[in-house]
């Protein structure tokens, strides 16, 4: 008993009626920006950890 394509289309139609396309577009933009900021922070943290590890090896 899975979800059929028709059930997904009905749910999508209800969501569009409730929120509207403009609000959904804005929410998508906000989520995309949040994901981009998260990836940037993770990369920065990884590079900071790499620099601190190389600094410690230079001190020895």
């Amino acid at each position: 008993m899975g979800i059929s394509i028709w059930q997904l289309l009905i749910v999508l139609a209800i969501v569009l009626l409730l929120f509207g396309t403009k609000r959904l577009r804005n929410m998508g933009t906000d989520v995309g920006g949040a994901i981009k900021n998260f990836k940037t922070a993770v990369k920065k943290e990884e590079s900071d950890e790499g620099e601190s590890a190389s600094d410690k090896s230079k001190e020895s």
Side-chain angles (χ1 to χ4, degrees):
M1 297 276 263
I3 297 176
S4 71
I5 189 74
W6 293 110
Q7 292 170 335
L8 289 175
L9 289 174
I10 291 170
V11 169
L12 179 63
I14 293 171
V15 168
L16 283 173
L17 288 173
L18 288 176
F19 294 110
T21 57
K22 186 176 181 181
R23 185 185 258 176
L24 287 176
R25 191 175 339 134
N26 290 341
M27 287 173 30
T29 303
D30 292 342
V31 169
I35 291 171
K36 183 178 179 182
N37 288 337
F38 178 75
K39 286 182 179 181
T40 304
V42 168
K43 286 181 183 179
K44 184 179 180 210
E45 184 68 29
E46 288 175 352
S47 67
D48 289 347
E49 288 177 2
E51 290 174 3
S52 65
S54 64
D55 290 344
K56 288 181 182 178
S57 65
K58 288 179 184 177
E59 291 176 359
S60 298

